[in-house]
Amino acid sequence: MSVASVFPRLESRLPSVQKPIQYVGGELNSVVKEWDCALEGPTVRWALMYPDAYEVGLPNQGVQILYEVLNERDWILAERTYSVWPDMEQVMRTGDEHGPIPQFTVDSHRPVGAFDLFGLSFSTELGYTNMLNALDLAGIPLHAADRGKDDPIVIAGGHAAFNPEPIADFIDAAVLGDGEEVVLAISEVVREWKTEGEPGGRDELLRRLAVTGNIYVPRFYDVAYAADGSIEAVVPNRPGIPFRVRKHTLMDLDQWPYPANPLVPLAETVHERFSVEIFRGCTRGCRFCQAGMITRPVRERSLETIGAMVENGIRKTGFEEVGLLSLSSADHTEIADVATGLADRYEGSNVSLSLPSTRVDAFNITLANEFSRNGRRSGLTFAPEGGSERMRKVINKMVSEEDLIRTVATAYSHGWRQVKLYFMVGLPTETDEDVLQVADLAKRVIAKGREVTGRNDIRCTVSIGGFVPKPHTPFQWAAQLDHQTTDDRLKKLRDVVRDDKKFARAIGFRYHDGKPGIVEGLLSRGDRRVGRVIEEVWRDGGRFDGWSEHFSYDRWMESAERGLAGTGVDVDWYTIRERDYDEVLPWEHLDSGLDKDWLWGDWEDALAAADGADIEIEDCRWTPCYDCGVCPEMQTEIQIGPTGQKLLPLSVV
């Protein structure tokens, strides 16, 4: 039986909200299917959500890929939904004579609550309040324990799902790692359960998902707390449920060339380009970087596949900019051939190529020239991360000041006028002096640029983010810097830059204050007790916490006081407190493949580096394995070139 669209109830109200086009759907390459699309047997229906506004959510590659992978099956229907802005939320809650208008998909405007599965992709923890708002608008009970047979199975994925404990009360399941294969496996389990007449109801379906060992169902695990507030144990509470849940790793990316039908937005979005992921994973070993740790091993796409994906994407979207994405794109084994082949192919056309932030030690001017050959020469972005040489050793970002100066000198001498440098403040063992050295580095960059060009229009933008310790990294045990000290260090740095009349005008300075980082730290390393805080914030009006104009630190702190009352722990306990090896961390039953002893050893190496030890963890792509544990634990292997292939066809478009 079909489910009616809510669009007739919505349409007349669209002129009353900002950017109504974002709620209309009908994008180029979007898919609309019949509610009962399966030719035989039951249809499995997914509502996919990136819990942020349309302009942020639509370009998200993770959701686009899953949307396409699922809809390729004739027995699966997948549609998309995004967070609605407060003005639309008010329209929906006010409703009409039929009652409130529920959270809807943009493809067919069907109610999210009517789907079998509600999948949310979290790249940041600050989307949790948006999830609660979507559940409430959809008429789905906030707490998983209150849901019935007819409510969707709520599943979390994305990088933040590697510690889903703060939202354990609100989700039915979580998936760690790559989603392409696992969403199909979940769909098969749901289809089989529906074919059999839904035996055992919701609980049995969740049990079938959990016993695979690859899908985490929080309700099947009990958490015991010690008298001091720490976790004593996390254990399964019924037979057959695994003690540890493993992440998924997709091997042979060439077999998964998605998105093959990229969505073209109707409204302006944060990324107006077509993106191709040229490899997945990173083994550079930066100790702060959760993305690099949890996506191991490195798996490269071949030149042929990259070329075919670029050509297909341009033809099907009309985008004129192509971004070649990964955690460190210039590290692709054959990046020079990729750059030259694509630049040759699209020379004389309107197509331009771009790389995201480039490692100083992976940059070369030939590569930069190839990527700017057919487009405008924009600024270059480098990420030294640490202001001082000492801090870069602590975080295992082994880039010397001389390396950076040499690299930017080359760029300036070849016609670039603007360089952006990205740093973090609040890293373990950091001092005021480490942060103030950012100013010295920026001044040296400007001075060198003026020297090699003989010009004064040289610019350097310093962008600074606050460090937040993340699960599954060597810094998961570290104390986070309190927001007041963070702000004090940033103010000192800003004053040092502004007070130097010789350089002040040439150095741009961008930073965020320390308060949002504390909330992110609470959510990233929190346990199930933090769920009460998230709910309190949402009930108090918290929405879009990733947007500075909507974020309220005071609301979070007041909600934490109420939500954590009687637990014996507080925000400081979760954030600015250092952990020791024996403490049971909230995510220890979730297996990213990384060996705990290896992570702890790397943490100890970081502390030794802070005291002057010369310790470097090299990239295992080019050196012997250093036993992080991922390949044997996950039964995977590094997949890199050279392949010996060339980019075909090479004829100029």
Side-chain angles (χ1 to χ4, degrees):
M1 190 172 72
S2 186
V3 168
S5 165
V6 301
F7 195 71
R9 302 172 59 193
L10 199 63
E11 187 174 13
S12 64
R13 291 163 174 78
L14 289 176
S16 68
V17 301
Q18 290 184 324
K19 298 183 183 176
I21 191 73
Q22 65 188 306
Y23 305 116
V24 171
E27 300 94 345
L28 183 63
N29 298 323
S30 61
V31 177
V32 175
K33 287 185 170 184
E34 293 294 327
W35 187 248
D36 292 304
C37 62
L39 298 177
E40 57 181 63
T43 300
V44 175
R45 306 175 183 95
W46 284 80
L48 299 173
M49 183 178 197
Y50 188 85
D52 208 324
Y54 178 95
E55 62 203 79
V56 178
L58 185 128
N60 179 260
Q61 274 223 316
V63 172
Q64 287 207 29
I65 289 169
L66 298 185
Y67 176 73
E68 192 172 325
V69 167
L70 290 165
N71 276 320
E72 281 186 343
R73 272 57 181 181
D74 60 13
W75 52 277
I76 302 177
L77 175 152
E79 300 191 4
R80 296 162 294 126
T81 187
Y82 305 103
S83 296
V84 297
W85 285 112
D87 56 355
M88 176 57 91
E89 179 185 343
Q90 185 176 350
V91 165
M92 293 163 66
R93 291 193 185 279
T94 302
D96 55 18
E97 67 273 15
H98 303 293
I101 298 171
Q103 179 83 22
F104 54 86
T105 61
V106 294
D107 298 288
S108 297
H109 299 90
R110 289 160 171 153
V112 167
F115 287 74
D116 299 312
L117 300 130
F118 183 24
L120 298 106
S121 178
F122 292 102
S123 56
T124 169
E125 297 85 358
L126 292 174
Y128 290 160
T129 49
N130 281 358
M131 173 188 69
L132 295 192
N133 207 42
L135 288 171
D136 188 60
L137 286 170
I140 302 169
L142 280 193
H143 297 98
D146 297 331
R147 292 177 197 141
K149 183 173 71 71
D150 295 330
D151 292 311
I153 301 294
V154 179
I155 304 182
H159 286 185
F162 276 78
N163 177 25
E165 290 302 278
I167 53 171
D169 289 344
F170 314 119
I171 60 172
D172 295 296
V175 170
L176 282 62
D178 302 325
E180 290 92 335
E181 291 174 318
V182 71
V183 291
L184 295 174
I186 291 170
S187 302
E188 292 277 8
V189 172
V190 173
R191 192 182 199 206
E192 182 179 292
W193 173 75
K194 291 177 79 171
T195 301
E196 293 173 6
E198 304 180 0
R202 185 183 195 85
D203 204 61
E204 170 60 14
L205 175 57
L206 290 171
R207 188 198 67 80
R208 292 185 184 192
L209 294 172
V211 295
T212 64
N214 294 124
I215 297 152
Y216 175 54
V217 179
R219 71 164 65 183
F220 296 150
Y221 294 80
D222 290 335
V223 182
Y225 300 98
D228 64 356
S230 63
I231 296 174
E232 277 188 339
V234 182
V235 293
N237 56 27
R238 64 175 67 192
I241 304 299
F243 274 84
R244 301 197 81 201
V245 179
R246 295 159 57 88
K247 79 166 182 180
H248 293 259
T249 304
L250 185 74
M251 302 304 292
D252 195 358
L253 294 187
D254 282 351
Q255 299 301 311
W256 298 81
Y258 297 98
N261 296 293
L263 294 165
V264 181
L266 295 175
E268 185 179 1
T269 60
V270 292
H271 297 303
E272 296 286 337
R273 67 181 178 215
F274 170 62
S275 298
V276 174
E277 184 185 30
I278 62 174
F279 71 86
R280 198 171 289 183
C282 181
T283 43
R284 284 282 194 166
C286 299
R287 296 183 173 111
F288 60 84
C289 182
Q290 184 190 45
M293 293 289 170
I294 63 178
T295 58
R296 298 177 177 206
V298 171
R299 293 144 284 151
E300 288 185 353
R301 279 199 166 105
S302 68
L303 272 70
E304 280 188 323
T305 301
I306 293 169
M309 290 178 71
V310 170
E311 191 275 330
N312 173 74
I314 292 170
R315 180 166 47 83
K316 289 187 175 178
T317 65
F319 281 130
E320 294 181 342
E321 182 183 347
V322 178
L324 302 183
L325 304 185
S326 73
L327 292 174
S328 183
S329 294
D331 282 338
H332 190 287
T333 317
E334 297 173 296
I335 191 63
D337 291 334
V338 170
T340 302
L342 291 175
D344 285 347
R345 178 186 289 179
Y346 297 108
E347 187 162 18
S349 72
N350 292 325
V351 175
S352 63
L353 307 169
S354 65
L355 277 183
S357 169
T358 309
R359 285 184 63 100
V360 172
D361 49 354
F363 173 85
N364 65 73
I365 207 67
T366 304
L367 186 64
N369 281 332
E370 293 290 21
F371 276 103
S372 63
R373 192 202 306 181
N374 213 34
R376 63 185 179 87
R377 179 165 289 194
S378 56
L380 294 170
T381 301
F382 301 105
E385 311 288 3
S388 67
E389 198 105 355
R390 185 186 78 87
M391 283 314 306
R392 290 192 289 276
K393 288 182 178 180
V394 169
I395 63 178
N396 200 47
K397 189 97 176 188
M398 306 304 275
V399 175
S400 71
E401 192 166 320
E402 295 310 316
D403 289 336
L404 178 63
I405 298 301
R406 192 182 312 115
T407 297
V408 297
T410 305
Y412 284 134
S413 66
H414 282 76
W416 272 270
R417 293 289 171 265
Q418 172 122 356
V419 167
K420 181 177 179 181
L421 302 178
Y422 181 80
F423 299 91
M424 283 190 290
V425 66
L427 291 160
T429 77
E430 178 188 274
T431 65
D432 288 3
E433 183 56 36
D434 291 313
V435 174
L436 293 178
Q437 285 190 42
V438 170
D440 297 334
L441 197 54
K443 292 173 188 177
R444 282 197 65 190
V445 164
I446 296 293
K448 177 58 74 171
R450 291 171 177 172
E451 175 191 326
V452 299
T453 63
R455 300 171 61 121
N456 283 325
D457 61 343
I458 300 299
R459 293 276 301 165
C460 173
T461 299
V462 172
S463 183
I464 301 190
F467 166 67
V468 177
K470 294 285 186 176
H472 307 280
T473 70
F475 288 168
Q476 66 184 357
W477 291 281
Q480 186 174 352
L481 192 64
D482 66 274
H483 71 86
Q484 188 61 56
T485 308
T486 297
D487 291 345
D488 289 346
R489 284 182 184 166
L490 289 170
K491 183 179 183 301
K492 289 175 184 174
L493 176 60
R494 184 190 63 203
D495 291 346
V496 167
V497 171
R498 286 180 176 174
D499 291 346
D500 192 324
K501 303 305 180 192
K502 186 178 178 183
F503 295 103
R505 287 179 172 272
I507 299 174
F509 192 56
R510 297 178 185 169
Y511 64 93
H512 298 288
D513 67 62
K515 289 178 177 177
I518 291 295
V519 173
E520 191 180 339
L522 169 70
L523 299 176
S524 69
R525 291 193 293 177
D527 51 45
R528 294 187 183 186
R529 292 170 291 190
V530 174
R532 302 174 206 164
V533 180
I534 300 168
E535 186 173 344
E536 286 277 349
V537 169
W538 171 75
R539 292 194 184 280
D540 195 43
R543 315 278 191 274
F544 291 98
D545 286 294
W547 296 67
S548 57
E549 61 266 42
H550 293 275
F551 174 81
S552 168
Y553 180 76
D554 290 342
R555 177 191 284 137
W556 275 95
M557 293 305 105
E558 290 163 9
S559 297
E561 204 168 317
R562 294 191 301 269
L564 296 175
T567 63
V569 297
D570 57 14
V571 172
D572 287 353
W573 190 87
Y574 287 108
T575 54
I576 63 174
R577 177 182 65 90
E578 186 173 316
R579 283 77 165 155
D580 60 35
Y581 177 86
D582 294 324
E583 181 170 338
V584 177
L585 302 174
W587 52 88
E588 277 194 21
H589 56 299
L590 304 174
D591 188 4
S592 62
L594 294 158
D595 181 73
K596 179 180 179 179
D597 287 334
W598 179 81
L599 285 171
W600 180 260
D602 207 33
W603 168 232
E604 291 184 314
D605 286 347
L607 298 177
D611 291 333
D614 196 12
I615 301 170
E616 179 180 1
I617 303 296
E618 296 186 324
D619 191 332
C620 64
R621 274 174 286 193
W622 330 117
T623 61
C625 170
Y626 48 65
D627 295 327
C628 76
V630 168
C631 290
E633 177 68 23
M634 297 288 120
Q635 298 177 340
T636 57
E637 60 183 1
I638 295 172
Q639 293 181 334
I640 60 172
T643 60
Q645 298 171 325
K646 290 296 176 187
L647 193 56
L648 298 173
L650 281 176
S651 55
V652 175
V653 174

